[in-house]
Amino acid sequence: MSNFGYCPLIWMFCGKTANEEINRIHKRALRRLYNDFSSSFNELLARSGQKTVHLQNLQKLLLEVFKSLHQMNPAFMWEFFERNQSNYNLRNKDLLQIPRFQTITYGANSITYRGSYLWNSIPDVVKSCDSVLSFKRQIREWNGKTCTCRVCK
């Protein structure tokens, strides 16, 4: 499964059919690893302590958003995400502006849109982490229920 660890942000935007194929390969690898050909995919994932490749990719996207907001990655990525300025004391803090788009391909399927949308959906406890390691620990517990991409629908 290490091949899907390369360029995870590209794999994240593949279609539903390609994602099902990735999951099928992942399931097959887990079945072979544990020599268990009767368990479901979710049971195999739980046994191995892994997440689906798509959820891993979403977590890596959130890590890139965190790094961008804290200026820990290349400078050109710092401009991808813009904090939402509010004069009110809202329950959700540290929100990002979700860019408007006209096309799905270059709008909803962009790192800027998907990253901002996911960032706004994670709990404030995760957003308030002060280091990459603590953010990684917190984001591992996130299960991606709020994702609305075409793969998750």
Side-chain angles (χ1 to χ4, degrees):
M1 296 315 303
S2 65
N3 289 338
F4 295 113
Y6 299 110
C7 299
L9 300 182
I10 303 300
W11 287 110
M12 184 178 62
F13 295 111
C14 68
K16 199 169 200 142
T17 306
N19 187 62
E20 288 170 0
E21 184 69 19
I22 290 169
N23 284 336
R24 190 181 67 75
I25 293 168
H26 193 184
K27 179 181 173 182
R28 199 165 122 200
L30 289 173
R31 284 187 186 278
R32 178 59 94 185
L33 179 68
Y34 293 112
N35 199 23
D36 180 359
F37 299 96
S38 59
S39 297
S40 70
F41 184 44
N42 289 332
E43 291 170 345
L44 290 168
L45 286 172
R47 184 174 174 186
S48 67
Q50 295 181 358
K51 309 269 187 194
T52 63
V53 172
H54 182 67
L55 184 55
Q56 291 174 26
N57 292 343
L58 293 176
Q59 290 172 345
K60 289 175 185 172
L61 173 61
L62 285 169
L63 179 62
E64 290 302 319
V65 173
F66 177 84
K67 288 179 180 179
S68 293
L69 294 175
H70 292 86
Q71 298 182 344
M72 296 178 182
N73 56 2
F76 73 91
M77 291 189 70
W78 301 350
E79 300 171 4
F80 283 9
F81 307 103
E82 190 174 334
R83 293 184 193 271
N84 195 6
Q85 302 299 326
S86 177
N87 296 329
Y88 303 103
N89 188 12
L90 302 173
R91 276 184 244 161
N92 289 336
K93 303 202 178 356
D94 199 17
L95 296 175
L96 298 179
Q97 287 184 1
I98 298 177
R100 297 178 188 260
F101 59 89
Q102 294 185 7
T103 64
I104 299 297
T105 303
Y106 301 108
N109 291 339
S110 68
I111 290 172
T112 305
Y113 177 81
R114 185 63 47 205
S116 298
Y117 187 86
L118 286 173
W119 182 263
N120 290 346
S121 70
I122 61 176
D124 285 337
V125 174
V126 180
K127 293 179 200 175
S128 64
C129 291
D130 55 352
S131 71
V132 173
L133 289 175
S134 64
F135 183 80
K136 283 182 180 180
R137 272 189 233 113
Q138 291 284 330
I139 205 65
R140 271 190 224 128
E141 303 302 319
W142 181 71
N143 57 9
K145 286 184 180 177
T146 56
C147 182
T148 58
C149 69
R150 62 183 176 183
V151 173
C152 297
K153 286 183 184 179

